[in-house]
Coordinates of all heavy atoms in Angstrom, one line a residue:
E530 N 8.7 -3.6 3.5 CA 10.1 -3.7 3.1 C 10.6 -5.1 2.8 O 11.3 -5.3 1.9 CB 10.9 -3.1 4.3 CG 10.8 -1.6 4.4 CD 11.4 -0.8 3.2 OE1 12.3 -1.3 2.5 OE2 10.9 0.3 2.9
R531 N 10.1 -6.1 3.6 CA 10.5 -7.4 3.3 C 10.0 -7.9 2.0 O 10.7 -8.7 1.2 CB 10.0 -8.4 4.5 CG 10.9 -8.1 5.7 CD 10.5 -9.0 6.8 NE 10.8 -10.4 6.6 CZ 10.4 -11.4 7.4 NH1 9.7 -11.2 8.4 NH2 10.8 -12.6 7.1
A532 N 8.8 -7.5 1.7 CA 8.2 -7.8 0.4 C 9.0 -7.3 -0.8 O 9.3 -8.0 -1.8 CB 6.7 -7.4 0.3
R533 N 9.4 -6.1 -0.6 CA 10.3 -5.4 -1.6 C 11.6 -6.2 -1.8 O 12.1 -6.4 -2.9 CB 10.6 -4.0 -1.3 CG 9.4 -3.0 -1.3 CD 9.8 -1.7 -0.6 NE 8.7 -0.8 -0.7 CZ 8.6 0.3 0.2 NH1 9.5 0.4 1.1 NH2 7.6 1.1 0.1
I534 N 12.2 -6.5 -0.7 CA 13.5 -7.3 -0.7 C 13.3 -8.6 -1.4 O 14.1 -9.0 -2.2 CB 14.1 -7.4 0.7 CG1 14.5 -6.0 1.3 CG2 15.2 -8.4 0.8 CD1 14.8 -6.0 2.8
D535 N 12.3 -9.3 -1.0 CA 12.0 -10.7 -1.5 C 11.7 -10.7 -3.0 O 12.2 -11.5 -3.8 CB 10.9 -11.4 -0.7 CG 11.4 -11.8 0.7 OD1 12.6 -11.9 0.9 OD2 10.6 -12.1 1.5
E536 N 10.9 -9.7 -3.4 CA 10.6 -9.6 -4.8 C 11.8 -9.3 -5.6 O 12.1 -9.9 -6.7 CB 9.6 -8.5 -5.0 CG 9.1 -8.4 -6.5 CD 8.0 -7.3 -6.8 OE1 7.6 -6.6 -5.8 OE2 7.6 -7.3 -7.9
D537 N 12.7 -8.4 -5.1 CA 13.9 -8.1 -5.8 C 14.8 -9.3 -5.9 O 15.6 -9.4 -6.9 CB 14.6 -6.9 -5.1 CG 15.8 -6.4 -5.9 OD1 15.7 -6.1 -7.0 OD2 16.9 -6.4 -5.3
A538 N 14.8 -10.1 -4.9 CA 15.6 -11.4 -4.9 C 15.0 -12.5 -5.7 O 15.6 -13.6 -5.8 CB 15.8 -11.8 -3.4
G539 N 13.8 -12.3 -6.3 CA 13.2 -13.3 -7.0 C 12.4 -14.3 -6.2 O 12.1 -15.4 -6.7
L540 N 12.1 -14.0 -5.0 CA 11.4 -15.0 -4.1 C 9.9 -14.6 -4.1 O 9.4 -14.0 -3.1 CB 12.0 -14.9 -2.7 CG 13.5 -15.2 -2.6 CD1 14.0 -14.8 -1.2 CD2 13.7 -16.6 -2.9
A541 N 9.3 -14.9 -5.2 CA 7.9 -14.5 -5.4 C 6.9 -14.9 -4.3 O 6.1 -14.2 -3.9 CB 7.4 -14.9 -6.8
G542 N 7.0 -16.2 -3.9 CA 6.1 -16.7 -2.8 C 6.2 -15.9 -1.5 O 5.2 -15.6 -0.9
R543 N 7.5 -15.7 -1.1 CA 7.7 -15.0 0.1 C 7.2 -13.6 0.0 O 6.7 -13.0 0.9 CB 9.1 -15.1 0.6 CG 9.5 -16.4 1.2 CD 10.9 -16.6 1.5 NE 11.7 -15.5 2.0 CZ 12.9 -15.5 2.3 NH1 13.6 -16.7 2.2 NH2 13.6 -14.4 2.6
A544 N 7.5 -12.9 -1.2 CA 7.1 -11.6 -1.4 C 5.6 -11.5 -1.4 O 5.1 -10.5 -0.7 CB 7.7 -11.0 -2.7
A545 N 4.9 -12.4 -2.0 CA 3.5 -12.4 -2.0 C 2.9 -12.5 -0.6 O 1.9 -11.8 -0.2 CB 2.9 -13.5 -2.9
D546 N 3.5 -13.3 0.2 CA 3.1 -13.5 1.6 C 3.2 -12.2 2.4 O 2.3 -11.8 3.1 CB 3.8 -14.6 2.3 CG 3.5 -16.0 1.9 OD1 2.5 -16.1 1.2 OD2 4.3 -16.9 2.2
H547 N 4.3 -11.5 2.2 CA 4.5 -10.2 2.9 C 3.6 -9.1 2.4 O 3.1 -8.3 3.2 CB 6.0 -9.8 2.8 CG 6.9 -10.7 3.6 ND1 6.7 -10.9 5.0 CD2 8.0 -11.4 3.3 CE1 7.7 -11.7 5.4 NE2 8.4 -12.0 4.4
Y548 N 3.5 -9.0 1.1 CA 2.5 -8.1 0.5 C 1.1 -8.3 1.0 O 0.4 -7.4 1.4 CB 2.5 -8.1 -1.0 CG 3.6 -7.4 -1.7 CD1 4.4 -8.1 -2.7 CD2 4.0 -6.1 -1.4 CE1 5.4 -7.5 -3.4 CE2 5.0 -5.5 -2.1 CZ 5.8 -6.1 -3.1 OH 6.7 -5.5 -3.7
A549 N 0.7 -9.6 1.0 CA -0.6 -9.9 1.5 C -0.8 -9.5 3.0 O -1.9 -9.0 3.4 CB -0.9 -11.4 1.3
A550 N 0.2 -9.8 3.8 CA 0.1 -9.4 5.2 C 0.1 -7.9 5.4 O -0.7 -7.4 6.2 CB 1.3 -10.0 6.0
F551 N 0.8 -7.2 4.6 CA 0.8 -5.8 4.7 C -0.6 -5.3 4.3 O -1.2 -4.4 5.0 CB 1.8 -5.1 3.7 CG 1.7 -3.6 3.6 CD1 2.3 -2.8 4.5 CD2 0.9 -3.1 2.6 CE1 2.2 -1.4 4.4 CE2 0.8 -1.7 2.5 CZ 1.5 -0.9 3.4
L552 N -1.2 -5.8 3.2 CA -2.5 -5.3 2.8 C -3.6 -5.6 3.8 O -4.5 -4.9 3.9 CB -2.8 -5.9 1.4 CG -2.0 -5.3 0.2 CD1 -2.1 -6.2 -1.0 CD2 -2.3 -3.9 0.0
E553 N -3.4 -6.8 4.4 CA -4.4 -7.2 5.4 C -4.4 -6.2 6.6 O -5.4 -5.8 7.2 CB -4.2 -8.6 5.9 CG -5.1 -9.1 7.0 CD -4.8 -10.5 7.4 OE1 -4.4 -11.3 6.6 OE2 -4.8 -10.7 8.7
R554 N -3.2 -5.8 7.0 CA -3.1 -4.9 8.2 C -3.2 -3.4 7.9 O -3.4 -2.6 8.7 CB -1.7 -5.2 8.8 CG -1.7 -6.6 9.5 CD -0.2 -7.0 9.7 NE -0.1 -8.2 10.3 CZ -0.2 -9.4 9.8 NH1 -0.5 -9.5 8.5 NH2 -0.1 -10.5 10.4
F555 N -3.1 -3.0 6.6 CA -3.0 -1.6 6.2 C -4.1 -1.4 5.2 O -3.9 -0.8 4.1 CB -1.6 -1.4 5.5 CG -1.0 0.0 5.7 CD1 -0.5 0.4 6.9 CD2 -1.0 0.8 4.6 CE1 0.0 1.6 7.1 CE2 -0.5 2.1 4.8 CZ 0.0 2.5 6.0
D556 N -5.3 -1.8 5.5 CA -6.4 -1.8 4.5 C -7.1 -0.4 4.4 O -7.7 -0.1 3.4 CB -7.4 -2.9 4.9 CG -8.1 -2.7 6.2 OD1 -7.4 -2.1 7.1 OD2 -9.2 -3.2 6.4
L557 N -6.9 0.4 5.4 CA -7.6 1.8 5.4 C -6.6 2.8 5.8 O -6.8 3.5 6.8 CB -8.9 1.8 6.3 CG -10.0 0.9 5.9 CD1 -11.0 0.9 6.9 CD2 -10.6 1.3 4.5
P558 N -5.5 3.1 5.0 CA -4.6 4.1 5.4 C -5.1 5.5 5.2 O -6.1 5.7 4.5 CB -3.4 3.8 4.4 CG -4.1 3.3 3.2 CD -5.3 2.5 3.7
S559 N -4.4 6.4 5.9 CA -4.8 7.8 5.7 C -4.4 8.2 4.2 O -3.6 7.5 3.6 CB -4.0 8.6 6.7 OG -2.6 8.6 6.4
P560 N -5.0 9.2 3.7 CA -4.7 9.6 2.3 C -3.2 9.8 2.0 O -2.8 9.4 1.0 CB -5.5 10.9 2.1 CG -6.6 10.8 3.1 CD -6.0 10.1 4.3
A561 N -2.4 10.3 3.0 CA -1.0 10.5 2.8 C -0.3 9.1 2.6 O 0.8 9.1 1.9 CB -0.4 11.2 3.9
L562 N -0.8 8.0 3.1 CA -0.1 6.8 3.1 C -0.7 5.9 2.0 O -0.3 4.7 1.9 CB -0.1 6.1 4.5 CG 0.7 6.9 5.5 CD1 0.5 6.2 6.9 CD2 2.1 7.1 5.1
E563 N -1.8 6.3 1.4 CA -2.4 5.5 0.3 C -1.4 5.0 -0.8 O -1.6 3.9 -1.2 CB -3.6 6.3 -0.3 CG -4.2 5.6 -1.4 CD -5.0 4.3 -1.1 OE1 -5.3 4.1 0.1 OE2 -5.2 3.5 -2.0
P564 N -0.4 5.8 -1.1 CA 0.6 5.3 -2.1 C 1.2 3.9 -1.7 O 1.5 3.1 -2.5 CB 1.6 6.4 -2.3 CG 0.8 7.6 -2.0 CD -0.2 7.2 -0.9
L565 N 1.4 3.8 -0.4 CA 2.0 2.5 0.1 C 1.1 1.3 -0.1 O 1.5 0.3 -0.6 CB 2.4 2.6 1.6 CG 3.4 3.6 2.0 CD1 3.6 3.6 3.5 CD2 4.7 3.3 1.2
R566 N -0.2 1.6 0.1 CA -1.2 0.5 -0.1 C -1.3 0.1 -1.6 O -1.3 -1.0 -2.0 CB -2.6 0.9 0.4 CG -3.5 -0.3 0.4 CD -5.0 0.1 0.5 NE -5.4 0.9 -0.7 CZ -5.6 0.4 -1.9 NH1 -5.5 -0.9 -2.1 NH2 -5.9 1.1 -2.9
R567 N -1.3 1.2 -2.5 CA -1.3 0.9 -3.9 C 0.0 0.2 -4.4 O -0.1 -0.7 -5.2 CB -1.4 2.2 -4.7 CG -2.8 2.8 -4.6 CD -3.1 3.9 -5.6 NE -2.1 4.9 -5.6 CZ -2.3 6.1 -5.0 NH1 -3.4 6.3 -4.2 NH2 -1.3 7.0 -5.0

């Protein structure tokens, strides 16, 4: 959610950090949650 907010606000560096943290922690989601990882 923070990545979405920061990207919308044009804060690319902060958004990238949040996206990367999400991907690091959410690397093997259940099939139902795979759209979030994508």
Side-chain angles (χ1 to χ4, degrees):
E530 286 295 332
R531 289 180 69 187
R533 292 168 176 157
I534 291 166
D535 288 343
E536 183 177 3
D537 187 54
L540 302 170
R543 283 177 31 182
D546 290 345
H547 291 303
Y548 281 130
F551 174 85
L552 290 167
E553 179 181 316
R554 291 159 178 81
F555 212 75
D556 61 336
L557 295 172
S559 67
L562 298 176
E563 177 63 21
L565 294 178
R566 192 201 60 78
R567 285 196 307 267

